[in-house]
Amino acid sequence: MGDGSVRPTYSRHAWPKNRINAAQADLRVLMMPGTGYNCDRPLLYYAATALVENGWYADRLDVNANLSKTPAPQIFAMLSGAVDEWLTQVQHDAEQAGRAMPRTLVVAKSLSTFIQPHVASIGVPMALLTPVFSPADFDPAHSVIPVPGDADFHVGSAPEPLICAGTADPLYNGDRARRLSGLIHEYADANHSIEVPGDWQRSMTYLHDVTQAVVDYARTIARYTR
């Protein structure tokens, strides 16, 4: 790339346990990972599994990107482009099947939550799992999701996002989260994976709650279209 940075890449695949094919789907969801937290990890795996069981057709994104190695704008542009490409494919699948554009949803973890402004601008509802409202030490740009009151915040056309995060997550800021959305699930003592180290029972309870929150949000926003 000429500047010593590493080019970020991604690939998209159908969720292997979909119960219908893309041409039949009226509901489509894209699962987007964090850095080192792919779609096989609990928060994303169980959210996708539950959505599939509730009639959604899921696609997953696999991402190779790291804010410590690549400038943030390049990563965010790549992730935004991935969503645009997915929506184009969703539209194509519907047209080929002679069906209306499905209702769409994005479920994102950590790194992928940075593109909430882009997803909101194109009218797609989004569930934010451990969104970044406080800058990471390893990010030279000190990136955070913009919220109302920030100079770079712009109102989108999507419904307010779902936010799920742990209170012990150093990348979470509850005050900023509440400026962006009223749909917030906070988990006491939970880290950036919404787990409580040394307390598997509470971690499992939180996992169940996050999964249910995503399912409930998906039901609520199903009336919205792109």
Side-chain angles (χ1 to χ4, degrees):
M1 300 176 70
D3 57 2
S5 60
V6 177
R7 182 181 299 278
T9 60
Y10 75 89
S11 59
R12 189 184 71 245
H13 310 278
W15 192 257
K17 297 182 180 180
N18 278 316
R19 295 186 172 186
I20 56 177
N21 62 49
Q24 297 173 309
D26 293 318
L27 303 167
R28 298 283 297 264
V29 60
L30 179 63
M31 310 300 297
M32 301 186 68
T35 301
Y37 198 104
N38 65 29
C39 295
D40 297 318
R41 297 289 297 276
L43 293 172
L44 294 172
Y45 176 85
Y46 284 103
T49 298
L51 290 172
V52 165
E53 291 185 6
N54 279 269
W56 290 76
Y57 181 94
D59 292 291
R60 62 175 285 167
L61 212 66
D62 291 298
V63 171
N64 181 16
N66 190 313
L67 288 169
S68 68
K69 299 178 180 178
T70 304
Q74 294 179 18
I75 295 176
F76 303 161
M78 179 198 71
L79 293 172
S80 296
V83 172
D84 294 343
E85 183 183 80
W86 172 69
L87 287 171
T88 298
Q89 184 63 55
V90 170
Q91 180 73 61
H92 174 77
D93 292 342
E95 290 175 352
Q96 290 293 104
R99 300 171 68 92
M101 177 70 175
R103 285 159 287 182
T104 53
L105 169 67
V106 171
V107 178
K109 172 79 170 72
S110 191
L111 176 70
S112 294
T113 65
F114 280 115
I115 64 165
Q116 186 274 333
H118 175 73
V119 177
S121 75
I122 55 178
V124 176
M126 192 171 189
L128 306 175
L129 309 184
T130 69
V132 182
F133 290 117
S134 183
D137 292 340
F138 55 80
D139 175 15
H142 303 295
S143 310
V144 294
I145 300 168
V147 300
D150 292 350
D152 55 347
F153 176 78
H154 302 284
V155 177
S157 57
E160 63 181 344
L162 170 68
I163 293 173
C164 296
T167 62
D169 181 352
L171 303 186
Y172 182 65
N173 181 307
D175 291 338
R176 289 183 62 80
R178 283 180 278 278
R179 285 161 58 185
L180 182 65
S181 177
L183 301 176
I184 299 174
H185 290 245
E186 292 181 337
Y187 302 94
D189 306 316
N191 60 20
H192 193 56
S193 297
I194 312 188
E195 297 175 359
V196 181
D199 192 338
W200 68 266
Q201 291 175 311
R202 205 156 35 134
S203 298
M204 292 294 290
T205 298
Y206 289 169
L207 175 59
H208 178 276
D209 189 87
V210 171
T211 304
Q212 188 64 60
V214 172
V215 169
D216 292 343
Y217 182 69
R219 287 173 178 157
T220 300
I221 57 82
R223 68 183 182 273
Y224 291 92
T225 58
R226 180 176 174 235

